Amino acid sequence: MVTDMQKLLGASEEDDEEEMDADVKEEDDGHRRQNRGAASGSSNDEFMFQQSSMQDQQVDTPGGSRRSRPVEEKERTKLRERHRRAITARILGGLRRHGNYNLRVRADINDVISALAREAGWVVLPDGTTFPSKSQGTKPAVVAGSSGSHMAPQQSSPPALRVVSSSGLRSPTTELNSCRMKGVFAPTPSPYDLPQTQCSELVGSVNKADGLVGCSVDVINSKQILEIPPNMTEQDFSGTPYVPVYVMLPLGVINMKCELADRDGLLKHLRILKSIQVDGVKVDCWWGIAECHSPQEYNWNGYRQLFQIVRDLNLKIQVLMCFHECGGNVGDDVCIPLPHWVAEIGRTNPDIYFTDREGRRNPECLSWGIDKERVLRGRTALEVYFDYLRSFRIELGEFVEEGVISVVEIGLGPCGELRYPSCPIKHGWRYPGVGEFQCYDKYLLKSLRRAAESRGHPFWGRAPENAGSYNSQPQGTGFFCDGGDYDGLYGRFFLKWYSQVLIDHADRVLSLAKLVFFDSTCIAAKVPDVHWWYRTASHAAELTAGFYNPSNRDGYAEIASTLKKHGATLSFVSGEVQVLNRPDDFSGALGEPEAVAWQVLNAAWDTDTPIARENSLPCHDRVGYNKVLESVKFPNDPDRRHLSSFAYSRLVPALLEGHNLVEFDQFVKKLHGEAVTDHHHHHQQV
């Protein structure tokens, strides 16, 4: 324990002994003052009892003086002090690593309290005097389960994530303390978090099966488009770092013939975006469109027309290379399958697709087991990806060279995200099921058996048999439950192999992408927010998705290092706005979107990997936008870190109508660090 403390604090044992001796002396003095105070303020019987106890503890010395306490008591005090310092050291180490607190090496508990108080908006003077800052207002907070008349003033309302729901579920804060969890820094309560009454209205109006995966606008109803509460304190983002804003174009902007679906309508919408200073757009480039009919026969005509329109408007482009199908997930309003020639191969060799324990194939994307297998008309999957990227670079190179294309995001799995397709709706998965491992095609099983044999345990060459089904919960399985097989010798072997396949796939594809886009064009990879069951020990949903991230291991550090190796940006799909809309869903599923986000961000920051972000669900209201701003701007970060860009999902007519456009315009200005006039407040005054 002392050794751990020395490693974290960098203090020598001699220094600790000196400080502990001083603490012991102070404690002795404190005991004497306490005894004197107790004697003067107690009854005669209590005074006599204390005197008798003191006589039993004191020892006569030759000079007639008395030692206040024996040596054994001092040793016990030193042990207690060592224990206290070791705990403090671990707290400080976690805050430095995960919380971005600027704490000195010899920081003590006072420094920790001061840092937390300053982050909460308090002013802490060097002498310890603490008081609220002038900008810190008071807001009434509704006590859970009480009527609106029982109001108590508080410094700030708790975030929606920590609201106790009317259904009687425990708050996430309570459950957070009752389970093992990483020391990940989470942001402070925000003035943009919804009061409980509004959260309840939102939850009551939305179906739980929708909106948790994908980005469908159909999920949004009138109750989700909220006005800003009158007593909300707006945060001033003027002067903050400039964050470029991109708007994702509709999924079907290019049809299956590789033509612009609605040129006039698109041009109208792009001009509106340009008028409010949006930096650019994000475009999906579908493998199933560009290489639809025959291998290595590419058609980029529609994308060329689109890019020319965007260039003429002096906008930038982020391109997402989509090696997956569109359709079948929430938010997919068009159907774009994999290329026809790939589907023909799949009919004779279905093992090119990811496969679950029941043998069901998922044609959403190709299995990573064929990355080096020549099963695609004489080519490996890696060669197919490389040829596609190279064709894009040759045919549309002018937009790359002119800087119109600023980022090329490489699709690495389903929905373009780096993950296994562990939660397919088409196979019956519904939130918040843990999902299933997707490693039962013959190529991945061969890889697993080879890994088990090289480890010296051939009988480990199989997937877990007690991991439940798609809609199981962790405690209902023998693998994911507390103390389950996931943390045994076989479980750790399997999960390490399973996650390593994911990391190796990202490493190979990104290395090829870097060969193609060797110039200044930035490449990126998308990492999803798998937040349900995060507040359990196993993090089951993350494990089936390929993130080996139980409570005793950091599963995102190696991913961030892989992206850093290739100079790629980590594009994170955030889910904080979902917390505002559906707090009960996350409480029941022990989900923690903010904690996942901060763990991923810290992993990227630790490796100096650039970070971009996009929202998983659309929002058109001030509350949602301000929640996004906090996840992009990090107003309390002393290092003024910020994201490289933000992509808004997604361009729909409702975004550009009336009040919604005004709110989005202000949102863009705040991301740009500009001063914003509060039109809502002005309207109220009028």
Side-chain angles (χ1 to χ4, degrees):
M1 187 176 295
V2 178
T3 304
D4 293 339
M5 174 195 63
Q6 291 172 355
K7 289 180 179 178
L8 289 169
L9 291 181
S12 65
E13 186 173 354
E14 291 79 4
D15 293 337
D16 287 337
E17 291 293 341
E18 293 176 1
E19 292 185 10
M20 281 188 286
D21 288 339
D23 290 334
V24 171
K25 184 178 183 300
E26 291 177 3
E27 189 171 342
D28 290 340
D29 294 340
H31 276 286
R32 285 194 291 270
R33 288 192 296 269
Q34 183 179 0
N35 289 335
R36 286 198 298 268
S40 61
S42 60
S43 64
N44 187 58
D45 291 339
E46 292 172 341
F47 176 74
M48 293 301 294
F49 174 79
Q50 291 177 0
Q51 290 293 325
S52 175
S53 299
M54 290 174 62
Q55 288 175 1
D56 292 338
Q57 294 176 1
Q58 291 175 341
V59 180
D60 291 333
T61 60
S65 63
R66 294 176 180 267
R67 290 184 297 172
S68 59
R69 292 157 62 197
V71 176
E72 292 80 1
E73 181 64 23
K74 288 188 177 182
E75 291 300 323
R76 284 196 294 270
T77 301
K78 287 184 178 181
L79 290 176
R80 288 196 299 269
E81 181 64 17
R82 286 195 182 97
H83 180 65
R84 182 184 69 81
R85 289 179 183 276
I87 294 174
T88 303
R90 292 189 178 93
I91 294 174
L92 296 177
L95 291 176
R96 286 195 195 94
R97 180 176 181 184
H98 302 294
N100 310 306
Y101 286 93
N102 187 18
L103 297 172
R104 59 191 177 90
V105 175
R106 297 298 295 266
D108 58 16
I109 194 64
N110 291 335
D111 297 306
V112 176
I113 296 174
S114 299
L116 295 174
R118 291 190 183 99
E119 186 188 28
W122 293 76
V123 176
V124 181
L125 299 181
D127 64 353
T129 304
T130 305
F131 54 88
S133 64
K134 293 182 180 180
S135 61
Q136 187 178 20
T138 59
K139 292 172 56 182
V142 181
V143 179
S146 62
S147 64
S149 60
H150 296 91
M151 308 282 284
Q154 293 184 357
Q155 184 174 318
S156 63
S157 65
L161 183 63
R162 294 173 174 83
V163 172
V164 180
S165 68
S166 58
S167 62
L169 294 173
R170 289 189 300 167
S171 70
T173 303
T174 303
E175 305 216 21
L176 186 64
N177 296 330
S178 63
C179 71
R180 294 176 292 171
M181 188 176 170
K182 298 178 180 65
V184 179
F185 168 70
T188 54
S190 157
Y192 307 127
D193 295 318
L194 280 176
Q196 179 192 352
T197 53
Q198 291 180 346
C199 288
S200 300
E201 290 179 3
L202 291 176
V203 173
S205 63
V206 184
N207 188 308
K208 290 187 177 182
D210 298 328
L212 292 161
V213 179
C215 49
S216 174
V217 181
D218 298 333
V219 181
I220 293 186
N221 56 29
S222 58
K223 290 189 178 183
Q224 287 177 279
I225 301 178
L226 301 174
E227 292 291 340
I228 182 172
N231 61 344
M232 178 180 292
T233 303
E234 282 290 298
Q235 186 159 358
D236 183 14
F237 289 95
S238 60
T240 57
Y242 186 99
V243 176
V245 182
Y246 292 78
V247 176
M248 302 175 69
L249 296 186
L251 293 170
V253 66
I254 303 293
N255 62 27
M256 289 300 297
K257 297 180 181 179
C258 202
E259 300 170 343
L260 272 175
D262 182 9
R263 179 187 178 90
D264 294 337
L266 175 65
L267 183 58
K268 176 184 175 181
H269 290 165
L270 291 179
R271 285 172 175 165
I272 296 175
L273 294 178
K274 178 64 178 178
S275 69
I276 61 173
Q277 306 302 315
V278 167
D279 296 89
V281 295
K282 190 169 185 177
V283 181
D284 300 289
C285 286
W286 296 98
W287 182 30
I289 292 178
E291 195 183 1
C292 179
H293 300 292
S294 301
Q296 295 180 286
E297 292 185 6
Y298 305 98
N299 180 3
W300 301 104
N301 292 337
Y303 292 105
R304 180 182 296 279
Q305 297 173 24
L306 172 60
F307 293 175
Q308 287 173 345
I309 293 174
V310 175
R311 178 177 60 185
D312 293 343
L313 291 173
N314 198 26
L315 293 171
K316 299 289 186 180
I317 302 174
Q318 289 185 350
V319 176
L320 172 58
M321 295 298 182
C322 300
F323 296 108
H324 62 282
E325 73 170 8
C326 179
N329 290 316
V330 175
D332 291 347
D333 53 3
V334 297
C335 180
I336 305 175
L338 297 185
H340 296 327
W341 60 273
V342 173
E344 292 176 0
I345 296 173
R347 282 191 283 271
T348 58
N349 182 13
D351 283 289
I352 66 172
Y353 302 126
F354 283 106
T355 308
D356 65 14
R357 185 166 56 92
E358 299 295 327
R360 288 169 290 193
R361 316 290 183 171
N362 189 339
E364 187 174 356
C365 60
L366 298 180
S367 167
W368 301 331
I370 65 169
D371 276 359
K372 296 183 177 182
E373 299 286 342
R374 296 192 176 278
V375 294
L376 301 175
R377 303 281 178 88
R379 291 186 296 168
T380 67
L382 291 177
E383 290 172 341
V384 169
Y385 303 146
F386 178 76
D387 291 341
Y388 181 84
L389 296 175
R390 183 173 56 182
S391 174
F392 176 91
R393 179 68 174 81
I394 294 172
E395 296 296 327
L396 302 173
E398 60 184 283
F399 301 99
V400 175
E401 294 161 3
E402 295 173 6
V404 177
I405 296 178
S406 59
V407 175
V408 178
E409 190 173 289
I410 310 300
L412 296 173
C415 298
E417 300 169 345
L418 179 58
R419 63 175 175 88
Y420 286 87
S422 57
C423 300
I425 295 177
K426 65 181 69 176
H427 290 165
W429 174 85
R430 294 296 181 268
Y431 178 89
V434 299
E436 288 191 16
F437 293 113
Q438 304 291 314
C439 58
Y440 291 87
D441 63 84
K442 66 181 182 182
Y443 301 105
L444 285 180
L445 286 177
K446 182 174 67 174
S447 171
L448 175 59
R449 287 192 294 267
R450 188 184 304 118
E453 291 171 359
S454 64
R455 179 71 182 270
H457 304 292
F459 52 91
W460 282 358
R462 54 176 176 78
E465 299 175 353
N466 59 346
S469 59
Y470 283 114
N471 295 311
S472 297
Q473 298 191 2
Q475 296 306 318
T477 71
F479 192 79
F480 298 119
C481 66
D482 290 347
D485 293 344
Y486 80 93
D487 203 27
L489 291 176
Y490 160 73
R492 291 197 293 270
F493 159 78
F494 172 79
L495 293 173
K496 175 61 178 175
W497 168 83
Y498 190 72
S499 62
Q500 193 62 47
V501 171
L502 175 145
I503 293 171
D504 290 344
H505 173 73
D507 185 33
R508 294 166 185 151
V509 177
L510 291 178
S511 64
L512 296 177
K514 200 60 181 176
L515 288 175
V516 175
F517 302 99
F518 54 86
D519 46 20
S520 58
T521 302
C522 174
I523 63 172
K526 186 182 297 186
V527 176
D529 175 14
V530 183
H531 52 262
W532 54 103
W533 307 117
Y534 188 84
R535 287 186 286 116
T536 62
S538 62
H539 294 213
E542 291 171 275
L543 296 184
T544 59
F547 304 117
Y548 189 10
N549 191 54
S551 59
N552 57 358
R553 189 181 189 276
D554 187 353
Y556 297 101
E558 192 171 356
I559 293 174
S561 298
T562 301
L563 269 58
K564 174 64 176 179
K565 170 184 174 182
H566 302 290
T569 296
L570 191 157
S571 178
F572 183 68
V573 184
S574 59
E576 281 90 342
V577 176
Q578 296 171 256
V579 182
L580 294 175
N581 294 340
R582 314 152 73 94
D584 285 350
D585 286 348
F586 303 105
S587 176
L590 300 179
E592 195 76 73
E594 289 185 338
V596 177
W598 281 103
Q599 187 185 351
V600 173
L601 292 178
N602 281 307
W605 282 332
D606 286 346
T607 56
D608 293 324
T609 302
I611 308 168
R613 209 159 187 176
E614 69 179 61
N615 55 309
S616 58
L617 288 177
C619 64
H620 300 144
D621 61 88
R622 182 82 61 89
V623 175
Y625 284 139
N626 286 336
K627 191 68 179 176
V628 172
L629 282 166
E630 285 194 333
S631 69
V632 174
K633 284 287 189 173
F634 315 118
N636 297 317
D637 184 9
D639 297 323
R640 290 174 60 84
R641 285 177 291 202
H642 59 93
L643 303 186
S644 60
S645 67
F646 176 80
Y648 175 84
S649 175
R650 175 175 303 262
L651 177 61
V652 292
L655 175 67
L656 307 179
E657 295 175 355
H659 179 71
N660 292 342
L661 181 60
V662 173
E663 292 293 341
F664 187 65
D665 179 27
Q666 293 194 2
F667 172 67
V668 172
K669 285 182 169 60
K670 291 177 181 178
L671 282 174
H672 288 169
E674 301 176 14
V676 175
T677 303
D678 191 346
H679 297 291
H680 179 85
H681 180 67
H682 176 73
H683 177 73
Q684 284 186 331
Q685 287 181 336
V686 174

